[in-house]
């Protein structure tokens, strides 16, 4: 443990599984008290146990990120338990390959609701808490899909991650004087999401890999470490920026 975010309080959405869980693990190892929020009632407590066994501090709260009232209740409980919130990682999301038809309307609503409303509500409820404490750092999970089109992804995924990219810049400008930094992280080809459809298929993934200059998948810890950098004081003059963790995909 090097303590890069020692004694900070970090709330991580979708922190019970995948990259959010890895971010929770690394943040706790770097000294943060971690509030894991997710809809996975079985996985959440397991992540807390793992972090505690490694000597870290974490707690789990059930939170559906699309639920405004639940955000109000859970953020109040986190402040009661840990005293404040210094870091928010808006990581919860649903995959763009869950729906095959790019015009599937349920897909559009679900993607916009979880991927965009979730980030909006997270910032709505956490910004005032951070502002009252003199500042904080928000990291929003966008994607390479927020910067470019893809021919095997629902239109709503690209639209939702593009919205995350620009709301990040909007919030960075608006809340800079409250001491709040807001940045986005853009993973490329990572291990499949829980909700991945075609993009979890090894044949499809092989074709996608051919477009990645580094010719390999990213790992969850490589995204978590980018989140750690932006969350920490090492990034003290960085706000409104986007960090591509994509093996060179967007540069090619
Ligand atoms: N895996 C990839 O290839 C990839 C690439 C680029 C960006 N991303 C983005 O990174 C983030 C994390 O992705 P991942 O690969 O870890 O996905 P994942 O599916 O493994 O994990 C997502 C987590 O979010 C939670 N979640 C989903 N809906 C929720 C809701 N309504 N309320 C609360 N929690 C909810 C899930 O339960 C899960 O724990 C997502 O925003 C995703 O869009 C992923």
């Amino acid at each position: 443990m090097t303590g890069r975010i020692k004694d900070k309080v970090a709330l991580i959405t979708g922190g019970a599984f995948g990259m959010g869980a890895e971010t929770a693990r690394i943040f706790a190892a770097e000294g943060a008290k971690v509030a894991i929020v997710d809809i996975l009632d079985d996985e959440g407590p397991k992540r807390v146990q793992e972090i505690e066994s490694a000597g870290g501090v974490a707690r789990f709260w059930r939170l559906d990120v699309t639920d405004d009232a639940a955000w109000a209740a859970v953020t109040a409980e986190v402040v009661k338990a840990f005293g404040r919130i210094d870091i928010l990682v808006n990581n919860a999301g649903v995959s763009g390959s869950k729906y095959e038809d790019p015009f599937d309307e349920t897909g559009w609503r679900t993607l916009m609701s979880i991927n965009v409303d979730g980030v909006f509500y997270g910032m709505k409820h956490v910004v005032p808490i951070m502002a009252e404490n003199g500042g904080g750092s928000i990291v929003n999970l966008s994607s390479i899909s927020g910067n470019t089109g893809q021919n095997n992804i629902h239109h709503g995924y690209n639209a939702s991650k593009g919205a995350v990219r620009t709301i990040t810049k909007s919030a960075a400008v608006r809340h800079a004087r409250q001491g709040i930094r807001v940045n986005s992280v853009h993973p490329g080809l990572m291990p499949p999401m829980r909700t991945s459809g075609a993009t979890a298929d090894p044949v499809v993934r092989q074709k996608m890999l051919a477009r990645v200059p580094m010719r390999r998948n990213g790992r969850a810890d490589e995204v978590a470490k980018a989140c750690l950098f932006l969350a920490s004081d090492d990034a003290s003059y960085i706000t409104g920026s986007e960090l591509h963790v994509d093996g060179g995909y967007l540069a090619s």
Side-chain angles (χ1 to χ4, degrees):
M1 192 185 291
T2 55
R4 283 171 68 188
I5 46 175
K6 193 167 165 36
D7 297 330
K8 303 262 190 206
V9 177
L11 188 157
I12 303 173
T13 73
F17 200 85
M19 300 199 287
E22 185 64 5
T23 303
R25 188 186 69 74
I26 288 179
F27 277 28
E30 292 291 341
K33 295 173 190 155
V34 179
I36 293 174
V37 303
D38 207 303
I39 48 176
L40 300 178
D41 294 315
D42 292 338
E43 298 291 335
K46 283 188 204 159
R47 297 296 90 79
V48 170
Q49 256 179 12
E50 288 159 9
I51 287 171
E52 286 177 344
S53 308
V57 178
R59 275 185 65 178
F60 171 69
W61 281 270
R62 174 173 234 283
L63 171 68
D64 180 334
V65 293
T66 65
D67 186 340
D68 190 18
W71 265 108
V74 168
T75 49
E77 284 182 33
V78 172
V79 171
K80 201 168 162 202
F82 289 147
R84 56 186 197 277
I85 300 172
D86 304 296
I87 298 165
L88 168 65
V89 183
N90 279 313
N91 159 85
V94 58
S95 169
S97 69
K98 178 173 161 65
Y99 307 92
E100 229 173 274
D101 173 2
F103 289 110
D104 181 298
E105 206 170 322
T106 305
W108 172 264
R109 301 279 163 226
T110 306
L111 286 159
M112 296 307 277
S113 167
I114 297 176
N115 294 3
V116 185
D117 295 2
V119 172
F120 170 77
Y121 287 133
M123 295 203 293
K124 173 185 168 184
H125 289 282
V126 173
V127 161
I129 295 168
M130 288 179 168
E132 205 177 300
N133 289 313
S137 174
I138 299 174
V139 181
N140 294 326
L141 267 293
S142 177
S143 167
I144 52 171
S145 308
N147 298 62
T148 187
Q150 289 148 302
N151 65 7
N152 56 354
I153 301 286
H154 192 287
H155 294 315
Y157 191 73
N158 295 92
S160 69
K161 292 302 184 179
V164 170
R165 175 172 178 257
T166 45
I167 197 178
T168 296
K169 296 181 196 309
S170 161
V173 170
R174 183 81 181 221
H175 303 295
R177 273 176 291 169
Q178 292 164 298
I180 300 168
R181 296 184 296 101
V182 193
N183 294 287
S184 55
V185 167
H186 297 240
L189 192 62
M190 303 301 299
M193 297 176 69
R194 290 174 74 84
T195 44
S196 290
T199 53
D201 178 334
V203 178
V204 174
R205 289 183 73 78
Q206 209 48 46
K207 282 190 192 147
M208 290 168 79
L209 268 184
R211 291 203 48 198
V212 179
M214 286 177 74
R215 294 288 188 275
R216 69 165 176 88
N217 261 11
R219 298 186 313 265
D221 71 289
E222 292 174 313
V223 170
K225 285 171 190 161
C227 295
L228 172 66
F229 167 65
L230 291 171
S232 77
D233 291 341
D234 290 343
S236 53
Y237 198 52
I238 300 177
T239 196
S241 77
E242 51 191 80
L243 188 43
H244 306 155
V245 188
D246 67 352
Y249 185 96
L250 286 175
S252 69

